[in-house]
Amino acid sequence: MDDRMTIRLKVIAVLSKPQLEKLQGSSMESIDQVLQNNLTLVRTFQNALEDQGNHDLLKIFGIEKCHIGDVRWSYSCLCLETILEVAKSMDLDAANCNKSTNHSDSSIPCLSVQHEIDIAKCFQLIVGFGLLPNLLPNIGIPIQRRSKYYNLFHQSPHLTDEQKYSRLTVVVRGLCEIEKSQSFGPKFATKHLADLLTALLQICHAPISKPTSNSQVLLWQRLHEERQEFVPLLNSVIERTYPPLLVQNLLLLQGPSASHAKIIRDAPKPAPKWLIRICAQLLTQQLMKPNGLAMTIQGVMDLAEITSEMWQRCDSLAYIISTPPSKDPVKQHEYYSIIGPQLSELVTKSHKILPDAPFNRIASGCYREIAARYRHVAEDTVFEPLFQPLASEDQDVLVRCIETLHSIFVEGTDPSGLLMLLVPHSYRLIQLYRMWCQSVLQVKTLLEELIVRLIRHSDNPDRVGLLRSLLQTQSSDEDDEAFLDEDEKSVMALISILQRIEDVHLTYSVFVSLLEDLPKLMVDQPPSSSLTPQQPHLLHSVRRGLVTLRLIGLLSEDEQLQSFLLNNPQQAVDFAQVFLKRAAENLNRNHFDVDLEKEGLAIVFAVIALQIDNLVRNEDNSKTWSLFDPLVESLEHLVKKHPLERIRSGADELRLAIQTRGFVFNKDSTASSEASRSSSKSGKGQAFKSAWDQLSDPFLPVQGHAILTLSRLLKKKDPEALKNRDRLLKVFLDSLEHEDSYIYLMGIQALGSLADVFTEQVVQALVGQLEQFIDTEEPKLVTEYDASKIDTPTTQPVRRPAEVRLKVGEALLQVVRLVGPLIPKYKRVLLNSFLRGTKDEDAFVRASCLHNLGELCALLRYSLDSVAFEVLNCVTNLAARDPAVEVRRAAVLLITLLLRGLDSEALQVLEPIIKDLYRVLKEIVLRDNDDRVVLFHANQGLEKLADIVKQYLTAPKLAGKTIRELRLP
């Protein structure tokens, strides 16, 4: 650093220390005297530089036109000139260094921290003494909001407007040079960009009054000529400024609106209209530049932290961005053609990079405001590109489109008014959800949330039709056998959407619409004999019927819907009446399908019976009963004309219950205690007969309830049930082959009840079921049983399906637990059965038999010694060589559970094989085994065995007894 640079930095250090804190509250004369003293001190340094303080550097900026004689003006000019010299020198040295190959030249000046602080203070003095006093009133950021020394920067009252303008132009020219400097430009722009922009905007765009005299004509000409000079300077400053910083300062220059200035305490006066207008134009120019939207939003977000006020600012900014700068439709269309792609790009970036930033909220707000006010202008430039990718068949394009729509309509602000944009594309969204509902794509969840938001909050009147579009069946090819899976996928997709929406009224509407379609399906249903693959329209009709019945069955099990119908009898009566009337009309025309009508009427009867039972239990008044009177006529029609006895009987019972206001319905289920005692024996026999008859009922819930009733009768040792135990055993065994979980679970429970009184026969039968072969006919339902066909022999031996063998194994396990300590009596039978089951071809059957074997061994305890080696051999081979990992896990778990069950008795019970068990577990742990579950179970077994041995080897502590002798004195 040369001597001249050192002296200039000393000058800056002196000029930057006018001791302003000591001048606070002083008079104008005392302040000027302090500044004059600093100027005198600085001239001693200027003499060393042979510089007389004539401001030669500022002459090119027009300082000759300024009135000299004001100490503050001289002070600001000296600060400006000195900083310009330092900046020029440092930029020149930096340029020479860049040209030189030696970048480590020590002659390059390096400013210290104190120098940086001094220069920043000089910037404040230049702005405070030379720029702010010469601005027009009410423009720029008020000095009192930025400095506690604002009372020191009063403007001189004796200056004319022309003198103020001359001083302002000199300072602005100098500050523009500093702003262009590589050394000081960024430092100055960070703190004082708003002041420089204010001065430039005043010079370039402030309104000029028309001249009224010759002297004013000359001034008017000068202002216009110099305006041509300063406009490029303004554009240059704007081009060099970081866009978010520029946006911040333009917004600050606009200040609060006139309405806000009235309600905000100590708010500054509103800016002039010309300044607000030109700032708005500059903001619009920034907005329409490439990536201008993101820069504008970033500038606004950097003004403050994210708070509740920030979210309000986001909504306000969205309103401003969505408002075009012109009322001309052509210019509005041009504006949106630039803003539209930027909005889409902003949503995409915010979804991937900054999902929690306010960008997404602002973008969503922009779409909402544009849709509400300018949709007719922006339809083809903003909204069509948003939804156009939905027509693509490329999965990647569709995924990106769904992510964008989810960000706008779900993650953004409340889009209740914006959702109408989705309505024209709702069926395409439904089609995509049906296609992806069983996939593992993450976008499936986003699409589901989008559809749920659309259906839940939009005012679309066809919400039911939109949901039912999920069930639209497509024509299948001749060899296509996957349509059942596709239909099931559609049904589960609709159920999933309804569960996410959680609107019971919508669920009820879908339920009623499906029931209303059942009569139509009955009319359109073709005879089964005419159904061939060459008739796709008939297959389509059958598929519609199956999908409708499947969905009705699932919705009828919905607890919220059941509670809704129970609490709203009018709704239940309305849909029951519609369905019963259509069923009666179909009977008159002989257009009905027995199976479809049977399922539909079963649901209607169940709903009506539920309502009647609720009224009877609550002893409701006749006003509610009167709601059911319109159903009587339709029920009487079914009683007279329906071909199925079960339907006629059910309709007649409901009709009588309605007409007698529940008396008949209630009387059948209650009886006096005296009548119960007198007919106890016949009543029990009637209960068994009623339950047995219900086994042939066409409705699955009735069949399951019949099995449950028979199970309870067995627990109560009902004589009629015990007398028919052979028939019940056959029924319960065949119920295991039923595909419905309710039926076969009731059958397993019933077999446990039967084993309590009929143990040996049940065990033998279940073992036979686990091993025997069956005929090739389809397993009969519990409802199809006839007493004359119970003992029909089987033909064409075929092994039972694995699912049935699993159910039989579960039933055997329940029987084993029930027998408990008496299990050694059936040891041989059960061990042989389970050991043979471990060689089954199905891996899950082998694992199930291993689990059952473990339960059995734990109960056998000391009776296990005679078969210990067989069990060990089986477990060892399966744990080491079985290809199915489930079986290996079950084998090792058997050993661990066996040790835990026997606990301290394991060494006595397993004495012949305890050493071999240890070797098996140790080999599994030491062997390179990829399955962590097997290793875990083996380690657990070794730890338990170690605890058992340690407990055995550790001698128990003997209880000590201390005897003390008391000696009396």
Side-chain angles (χ1 to χ4, degrees), residues 375 379 382-392 398 401-402 405 409 418-433 447 450-451 454-455 460 466 469:
R375 182 177 177 181
E379 182 71 34
V382 176
F383 298 114
E384 283 189 6
L386 192 63
F387 296 104
Q388 189 174 6
L390 287 176
S392 175
L398 289 172
C401 180
I402 296 301
L405 296 179
F409 294 95
L418 186 60
L419 282 172
M420 293 305 297
L421 295 173
L422 280 177
V423 173
H425 310 279
S426 55
Y427 286 94
R428 175 57 176 167
L429 295 175
I430 290 291
Q431 182 183 5
L432 291 177
Y433 182 74
L447 180 57
L450 186 63
I451 294 174
L454 170 63
I455 297 175
N460 184 11
L466 179 61
S469 63

Side-chain angles (χ1 to χ4, degrees), residues 504-505 507-509 511-512 515 552 555-576 603-604 606-612 614-615 624 627-628:
V504 68
H505 292 86
T507 304
Y508 169 76
S509 300
F511 184 61
V512 171
L515 288 174
I552 288 174
L555 291 178
S556 63
E557 298 174 0
D558 186 84
E559 294 182 358
Q560 291 184 350
L561 181 60
Q562 292 175 359
S563 178
F564 174 78
L565 292 175
L566 193 63
N567 298 325
N568 297 271
Q570 183 63 55
Q571 304 284 352
V573 170
D574 289 343
F575 94 81
I603 296 173
V604 174
V607 171
I608 299 175
L610 183 66
Q611 294 289 338
I612 293 176
N614 184 52
L615 293 176
T624 306
L627 297 175
F628 294 86

Side-chain angles (χ1 to χ4, degrees), residues 277-345:
R277 183 177 63 254
I278 191 62
C279 288
Q281 292 177 3
L282 293 175
L283 286 172
T284 303
Q285 292 176 6
Q286 293 299 314
L287 195 62
M288 299 182 69
K289 288 182 178 180
N291 204 29
L293 179 61
M295 294 292 102
T296 301
I297 296 175
Q298 185 64 54
V300 176
M301 294 301 103
D302 290 343
L303 286 174
E305 297 180 357
I306 298 179
T307 60
S308 59
E309 296 180 356
M310 172 60 74
W311 296 127
Q312 296 177 359
R313 184 178 299 175
C314 290
D315 296 338
S316 301
L317 183 61
Y319 181 87
I320 295 172
I321 294 174
S322 62
T323 305
S326 175
K327 295 183 179 180
D328 185 4
V330 177
K331 293 183 179 180
Q332 289 178 354
H333 187 273
E334 180 183 357
Y335 175 78
Y336 286 126
S337 65
I338 298 175
I339 293 298
Q342 293 192 46
L343 278 174
S344 179
E345 183 179 1

Side-chain angles (χ1 to χ4, degrees), residues 716-730:
K716 296 178 181 179
K717 305 297 189 295
D718 181 80
E720 192 69 22
L722 295 176
K723 180 181 177 181
N724 293 275
R725 57 190 182 185
D726 292 327
R727 300 173 66 188
L728 291 177
L729 177 59
K730 186 65 175 177

Side-chain angles (χ1 to χ4, degrees), residues 430-470:
I430 290 291
Q431 182 183 5
L432 291 177
Y433 182 74
R434 181 185 176 186
M435 182 172 60
W436 291 342
C437 63
Q438 298 295 330
S439 68
V440 295
L441 293 174
Q442 182 183 4
V443 75
K444 176 191 68 174
T445 304
L446 303 182
L447 180 57
E448 184 176 356
E449 293 177 356
L450 186 63
I451 294 174
V452 168
R453 177 65 69 93
L454 170 63
I455 297 175
R456 180 185 293 169
H457 297 288
S458 70
D459 298 330
N460 184 11
D462 191 25
R463 296 196 302 168
V464 175
L466 179 61
L467 284 172
R468 292 201 55 183
S469 63
L470 276 169

